[in-house]
Amino acid sequence: MKKLSFLVVMAIALMVLAACSSSGESKGNEAAPSAGAEGEKVELTYWYAWGDKIGENNENLVKQFNESQDKIHVTAEFQGTYDELHAKTQAAFAAGNAPEVTQNEIASIGIFAKSGMTQDLTALAENDPDINMDDFNQGLMGNSYVEGKLYGLPYLRSTPILYMNTTMAEEVGLDPAGPKTWEEFQEYAKAFTDEEKGRVGVSMPIDIWFFEAFIAQAGGSTMNEDSTEVTFNSEAGAEAYNLWRDMAKEGTMKLSSGTEAGEKTRQDFVNGHSGMHFASTADLSYLLQLAEEQGFELNTYFWPSGKEAKVPTGGANLVMTSGLEEEKQKAAWEFIKFMTATEQTAYASEFTGYLPSRKSAAESERIQALYEEKPQFKVAVDQLENGVARPMAENYPEIVQILIDELTRGILDESIPTEEVLDNAAEKSSALLE
């Protein structure tokens, strides 16, 4: 979930430039624009992040859209991680050849909207009788609005959840029902840890999304409600960070840093080097596949709760780039509606493990049958009642980098007091906000 700062992203955007020189509730294309004067289709480009099952899902849905009507043709293009996607989008926008539709990771919705790169969708949604905004799960809408205006529709949305190797749990005498509190989580981690086998209780990246989860569980947050000041240097912040430090010190939690940290910790889990794993619900389909290949049972659980049970939401919203001519704007809106419609939402949720962002999709026969067959998919949906929006301050990506750097420093050097780690990060972050 780590984001690049706006200035850093713009610098990358310039380098990319140098190197490179739109629901009906089921189909969403009833009001598609007419083809050009010569009968040509309106051509759109759609950029998306992430590969594997997530990439396949994007390509499959775009193919479905193209085959569902004959007025618009969309070309889907993979652009890497969210950071890479955002940098390339900014570079292309500056060059005047941005994709008509792309993804914004939810914490970056505000940056793109306030910089004028994405289209205000409020009027399009209000004047379209074919879209029911009340059908979107309200727990996912907090990161869709900027200053009261709609800038994105929930698409591939998630919450972080706990994954556990239940085969291993039974081998070490643990209840496969999983840990429900921080205390139980620590007990499970100790039981899984086996130095001789090179196994720890949980392997986890030093990740802002996960820190947001732990601090929320402790009753705090990384920023105040209006995103005007940082609040992670609090009692709740210290409680969350000390949990990490204590478990790392006793050897029951392995914390990894760097760009490959997420993949390293996933491999630890898949290869039996850790009993538990924190990851997005978006990883569910892929992890189930890997667990089957490795011959162990996998189950999913709510994030173990501290004082509270809150968790941040995550994932991406679909956005339209600004400045499109009317014909392309209408076409882009039809594509966005299709991709976020009930049928497509249910398809994406089943295919990847992402949350069904529409109530109608969650209640559909397809999803109910999935939950019956694979209850692991339902955990994140049930946990959504505890979901909270992520901060969208324009400086938040830079604040995240500062905080992650300081958290990492404290993990590597046990002698640095927790208060000093958090206060240093807060002092640097506050300077940015001022």
Side-chain angles (χ1 to χ4, degrees):
M1 298 299 296
K2 183 171 70 179
K3 298 292 159 285
L4 295 176
S5 73
F6 186 71
L7 294 176
V8 172
V9 171
M10 288 306 294
I12 292 174
L14 293 174
M15 287 190 284
V16 173
L17 277 174
C20 299
S21 75
S22 226
S23 137
E25 296 307 284
S26 60
K27 291 297 180 183
N29 62 336
E30 288 84 350
S34 302
E38 299 178 3
E40 295 179 356
K41 294 182 180 182
V42 178
E43 293 287 339
L44 300 178
T45 300
Y46 164 55
W47 283 2
Y48 66 88
W50 308 115
D52 296 324
K53 296 286 286 186
I54 300 172
E56 287 181 50
N57 169 76
N58 278 288
E59 295 286 347
N60 293 347
L61 286 181
V62 169
K63 182 181 179 185
Q64 290 176 27
F65 175 75
N66 287 335
E67 293 175 350
S68 72
Q69 44 72 53
D70 60 3
K71 301 293 190 297
I72 306 164
H73 179 267
V74 177
T75 300
E77 297 178 355
F78 168 66
Q79 300 299 333
T81 65
Y82 284 136
D83 286 342
E84 292 166 335
L85 169 64
H86 292 163
K88 291 176 183 178
T89 300
Q90 289 171 326
F93 189 86
N97 59 2
E100 288 78 14
V101 178
T102 185
Q103 298 176 351
N104 275 175
E105 189 280 324
I106 58 171
S108 298
I109 287 282
I111 295 173
F112 277 81
K114 291 178 180 179
S115 65
M117 285 186 286
T118 51
Q119 178 68 39
D120 173 5
L121 305 176
T122 309
L124 287 165
E126 290 179 348
N127 297 323
D128 193 330
D130 292 330
I131 190 165
N132 177 11
M133 294 300 296
D134 292 334
D135 189 40
F136 288 102
N137 192 307
Q138 292 308 298
L140 299 175
M141 294 303 292
N143 289 108
S144 296
Y145 291 90
V146 178
E147 297 177 348
K149 296 179 180 180
L150 180 69
Y151 278 90
L153 292 186
Y155 174 47
L156 299 179
R157 296 295 301 275
S158 58
T159 64
I161 56 176
L162 174 66
Y163 293 83
M164 189 173 78
N165 183 327
T166 54
T167 301
M168 187 186 296
E170 291 174 351
E171 289 173 358
V172 299
L174 288 170
D175 185 347
K180 294 178 175 59
T181 64
W182 282 13
E183 292 75 19
E184 291 181 0
F185 171 60
Q186 290 172 285
E187 291 169 7
Y188 271 65
K190 286 179 183 177
F192 277 124
T193 301
D194 188 322
E195 191 173 344
E196 289 185 5
K197 294 181 179 179
R199 187 175 72 206
V200 296
V202 58
S203 183
M204 187 177 80
I206 302 175
D207 183 275
I208 187 60
W209 203 33
F210 297 163
F211 188 68
E212 286 174 356
F214 275 107
I215 195 173
Q217 297 267 324
S221 59
T222 56
M223 295 194 77
N224 63 357
E225 257 187 57
D226 55 3
S227 296
T228 56
E229 62 180 85
V230 296
T231 54
F232 51 73
N233 59 327
S234 60
E235 184 179 337
E239 190 176 344
Y241 188 46
N242 281 334
L243 178 68
W244 290 16
R245 300 187 91 180
D246 291 346
M247 292 181 70
K249 186 175 182 179
E250 69 184 10
T252 60
M253 176 185 283
K254 177 183 174 183
L255 288 162
S256 299
S257 61
T259 56
E260 300 299 319
E263 181 58 30
K264 288 178 184 176
T265 58
R266 179 165 67 182
Q267 288 305 314
D268 283 342
F269 179 65
V270 171
N271 294 329
H273 297 150
S274 65
M276 294 180 288
H277 177 60
F278 286 115
S280 169
T281 182
D283 290 342
L284 179 52
S285 289
Y286 190 47
L287 282 172
L288 283 172
Q289 176 187 322
L290 294 176
E292 184 177 358
E293 292 172 0
Q294 294 294 324
F296 69 88
E297 294 292 327
L298 173 153
N299 212 345
T300 57
Y301 307 85
F302 276 29
W303 200 275
S305 61
K307 290 185 176 71
E308 300 185 25
K310 295 178 180 177
V311 289
T313 58
N317 286 354
L318 286 184
V319 298
M320 182 190 307
T321 51
S322 60
L324 302 181
E325 59 186 46
E326 184 178 3
E327 185 180 48
K328 289 215 168 188
Q329 187 179 101
K330 288 180 179 179
W333 177 241
E334 292 305 318
F335 175 62
I336 290 174
K337 286 198 300 177
F338 177 92
M339 296 288 278
T340 59
T342 300
E343 187 177 328
Q344 286 68 253
T345 297
Y347 174 89
S349 182
E350 179 181 33
F351 196 83
T352 64
Y354 273 110
L355 294 166
S357 55
R358 280 183 178 269
K359 300 170 190 174
S360 54
E363 296 164 359
S364 67
E365 274 188 36
R366 181 178 203 151
I367 294 300
Q368 290 302 310
L370 174 67
Y371 294 164
E372 184 70 27
E373 180 186 358
K374 297 178 179 178
Q376 296 98 323
F377 279 80
K378 192 171 185 292
V379 169
V381 179
D382 292 342
Q383 187 181 236
L384 192 56
E385 66 184 38
N386 304 326
V388 293
R390 300 192 70 216
M392 291 196 296
E394 290 183 64
N395 302 92
Y396 195 57
E398 291 172 284
I399 291 168
V400 165
Q401 188 60 62
I402 290 169
L403 179 55
I404 289 298
D405 287 346
E406 291 298 321
L407 294 179
T408 303
R409 187 169 70 94
I411 294 297
L412 296 174
D413 186 348
E414 295 177 2
S415 69
I416 306 173
T418 289
E419 183 179 359
E420 181 181 327
V421 170
L422 298 179
D423 283 347
N424 280 346
E427 184 179 350
K428 295 175 184 177
S429 299
S430 296
L432 285 177
L433 292 170
E434 291 168 4

